[in-house]
Amino acid sequence: MAANRIDWTNGSLEKLDLETPRAKAEEIAAKFKKEIEQGKLPFCSMGYMPSLLHDLEGMEQFVRGFEHMLLLGIGGSALGARALQKAFFPQQDQPGHEGPWLWIADNVCPHTVEAYLEKLPVEKTLVVVVSKSGGTIETISQYFLVRQWMRKKLDDRWNDHFLFVTDSDNGFLREQANEHTVRSLEVPDNLGGRYSVLSAVGLIPAMFMGMDYASLVEGASSVLSSLAAPDLNGEKLSRHPAFELACWNAALMDNGYNELIFFSYIPQWAWFGQWFAQLWAESLGKQGKGSQPLPAVGATDQHSVNQMFLDGPRNKACLFLTCPALPEGMAFPDDIPEKFAYIKGKRFGELIHAEGLGTRMALSKNGVPLVELRMGEDNEEAAGNLMGLLMAATIFTGWIIGINPVDQPAVELGKRLAKARLGADGLEEEKGDLASFLKAERNEQEF
Ligand code: PA5
């Protein structure tokens, strides 16, 4: 594989205190090593991988025998699959596609669910329900509706059209798998949603789309294996690009850079920005710390949010994703008016590079600390490498800034309040709080 590179040239390194986070390398290496040994970082050690790859091989014929996959999941249980779909299965959004089709239902939208149930051919559809906890209401509520639809159409064969990806022992979905003999794959212990793309969570849809998922895993493993190795120490860690990225980010946060742009100049990889945004935000937004991820895609967002990046508040840094090896594209025709003569003799693919360079330089000139992640290729292996790098960088950043990057306590309140609103048992305090919130005198205006 052509090498992927981090280009620090425009990272404003001279303005940042990188020594303070770097000084934590020894301590963080020891903690990482210990957690690897305790099985707490499976995204990195990937001990589950040989048996998963074996299971996937055994399931390939079954899964790929369907024309439609309807994936029910939300957050980390859906975003990795969508990023892979947009990057490596773009044909589904292009004219003339004749299948297979992957549909990702990651919301509670009545229009969308009804459309799926009205239009999907039941006999040719596999429903994959993805939930680590097995009890997420957005996912499970869709499961109830889809199961009813399947039961009506297929009677007692409904369970043959389902596949669950969930915890091996716990949760409602696991109980359902046991009760109804539904095929299932496990999400390994300690592998939270946003770190789970390289488990069955992301690899089942990847396999369905015909992606080279083994290369995706290899790409991740090549950046993560030295971190999982028993000889990890402070010196080795301090040379690892994931740790360097973490030090850069921690130093930026310390300097008031509280927004982090993820600017993809690989158009089909735009959804990696959304995947990264969830990884970064849910992992690091704690105790008033972190930086707000801002996913953007070139060239589209040059005509949208880029003005704010360039000349808005000076609180933004940028991860800038490029790939010089993108296809050259079609040659422009000869009959191009004088006004546009500068593209004569060029190919369409040159635009994205020129625009990327222009934006990168403009951001740097405007004082935005920017690190370029330059991919050698835009294939599965490179994508795995990028995802592995970013997951490890997120963990290290969290540890450097002193928060736990694998929980998400603040989002629980909204979930409890929604359940209280729907009348779930218990939750008396939330019910009381809701009543006072709703009782407040309204201050409203018509528009
Ligand atoms: O990253 C996370 O941990 C979350 O975004 C979860 O993926 C999300 O809340 C869905 O959880 P579950 O997989 O338990 O349904």
Side-chain angles (χ1 to χ4, degrees):
M1 175 176 83
N4 305 320
R5 307 192 73 79
I6 301 190
D7 186 338
W8 297 99
T9 315
N10 302 113
S12 304
L13 308 187
E14 65 294 344
K15 288 194 215 147
L16 301 171
D17 169 17
L18 290 161
E19 288 321 306
T20 305
R22 279 178 183 156
K24 297 187 178 173
E26 201 62 58
E27 176 199 331
I28 286 179
K31 181 171 159 107
F32 201 84
K33 207 169 139 173
K34 189 164 162 214
E35 296 217 351
I36 289 276
E37 281 162 14
Q38 293 171 336
K40 288 187 181 166
L41 297 171
F43 86 89
C44 182
S45 50
M46 294 193 205
Y48 62 86
M49 197 56 83
S51 100
L52 172 61
L53 292 176
H54 178 262
D55 288 350
L56 288 176
E57 214 183 301
M59 260 190 194
E60 181 151 1
Q61 210 185 348
F62 165 73
V63 168
R64 299 200 67 192
F66 290 92
E67 269 183 19
H68 297 265
M69 176 180 281
L70 174 59
L71 189 158
L72 314 180
I74 196 166
S77 289
L79 279 159
R82 194 182 311 271
L84 296 176
Q85 177 187 30
K86 297 292 177 190
F88 297 108
F89 200 57
Q91 56 269 45
Q92 189 171 326
D93 295 330
Q94 291 164 357
H97 180 60
E98 288 180 352
W101 289 268
L102 171 66
W103 310 103
I104 300 179
D106 65 347
N107 208 336
V108 282
C109 172
H111 290 305
T112 314
V113 169
E114 275 167 37
Y116 288 146
L117 302 192
E118 268 168 31
K119 300 272 168 62
L120 283 173
V122 79
E123 291 282 0
K124 297 175 181 168
T125 300
L126 174 66
V127 183
V128 179
V129 190
V130 185
S131 176
K132 163 78 177 151
S133 62
T136 302
I137 189 62
E138 293 87 347
T139 301
I140 297 301
S141 58
Q142 298 195 91
Y143 162 64
F144 291 137
L145 297 175
V146 176
R147 187 182 66 178
Q148 171 182 264
W149 169 73
M150 276 282 182
R151 269 181 168 155
K152 262 193 207 147
K153 306 264 182 183
L154 298 177
D155 210 5
D156 59 2
R157 289 189 298 122
W158 71 272
N159 52 349
D160 262 347
H161 286 247
F162 274 81
L163 169 62
F164 296 162
V165 180
T166 191
D167 189 83
S168 57
D169 301 311
N170 301 308
F172 174 74
L173 212 49
R174 177 53 59 194
E175 288 164 19
Q176 287 285 292
N178 295 339
E179 189 181 333
H180 300 294
T181 331
V182 174
R183 281 183 185 79
S184 68
L185 287 169
E186 64 182 66
V187 185
D189 288 347
N190 298 316
L191 195 67
R194 54 195 182 271
Y195 297 94
S196 71
V197 58
L198 297 170
S199 69
V201 172
L203 299 190
I204 277 285
M207 181 173 88
F208 175 72
M209 292 181 280
M211 268 180 64
D212 181 2
Y213 62 85
S215 291
L216 188 77
V217 173
E218 265 169 43
S221 165
S222 77
V223 75
L224 294 171
S225 58
S226 63
L227 295 173
D231 63 351
L232 183 72
N233 58 28
E235 199 205 321
K236 288 186 178 151
L237 182 68
S238 60
R239 287 199 304 268
H240 196 282
F243 186 71
E244 277 293 276
L245 269 178
C247 291
W248 182 67
N249 275 290
L252 285 165
M253 290 170 200
D254 245 13
N255 239 334
Y257 290 95
N258 56 19
E259 297 190 342
L260 179 65
I261 305 161
F262 184 97
F263 219 145
S264 174
Y265 269 78
I266 308 178
Q268 289 186 339
W269 285 26
W271 270 85
F272 283 110
Q274 305 294 336
W275 170 83
F276 172 73
Q278 191 243 353
L279 171 71
W280 194 255
E282 229 175 40
S283 299
L284 303 179
K286 284 159 204 171
Q287 300 168 26
K289 298 180 186 175
S291 54
Q292 179 67 37
L294 303 170
V297 60
T300 311
D301 284 324
Q302 285 175 222
H303 299 260
S304 167
V305 287
N306 198 32
Q307 172 69 32
M308 184 65 83
F309 295 167
L310 290 162
D311 206 17
R314 308 283 171 193
N315 63 343
K316 294 171 188 60
C318 183
L319 285 175
F320 200 89
L321 186 66
T322 63
C323 178
L326 291 178
E328 290 185 337
M330 291 193 295
F332 289 109
D334 289 335
D335 56 344
I336 285 192
E338 207 40 44
K339 202 173 154 190
F340 297 104
Y342 59 91
I343 58 167
K344 236 188 219 174
K346 302 215 164 50
R347 305 188 76 100
F348 188 53
E350 292 180 55
L351 258 71
I352 193 76
H353 301 304
E355 301 217 31
L357 177 61
T359 302
R360 183 155 58 85
M361 187 165 159
L363 285 165
S364 297
K365 276 181 103 55
N366 279 277
V368 176
L370 178 149
V371 163
E372 184 184 355
L373 302 173
R374 194 182 310 126
M375 308 310 294
E377 288 171 56
D378 62 339
N379 58 14
E380 286 92 337
E381 192 174 352
N385 208 245
L386 177 71
M387 290 175 127
L389 175 79
L390 294 173
M391 288 190 282
T394 304
I395 295 283
F396 293 136
T397 308
W399 287 358
I400 293 171
I401 66 174
I403 54 94
N404 177 359
V406 297
D407 66 0
Q408 57 281 331
V411 299
E412 299 306 322
L413 175 61
K415 291 186 197 170
R416 284 201 308 278
L417 289 167
K419 276 191 195 163
R421 174 67 166 175
L422 291 165
D425 278 347
L427 300 169
E428 296 313 324
E429 194 182 330
E430 287 80 359
K431 286 175 187 164
D433 287 351
L434 268 178
S436 347
F437 186 75
L438 292 171
K439 239 194 272 153
E441 201 179 315
R442 311 313 310 167
N443 178 357
E444 298 179 345
Q445 184 178 22
E446 196 173 310
F447 65 96

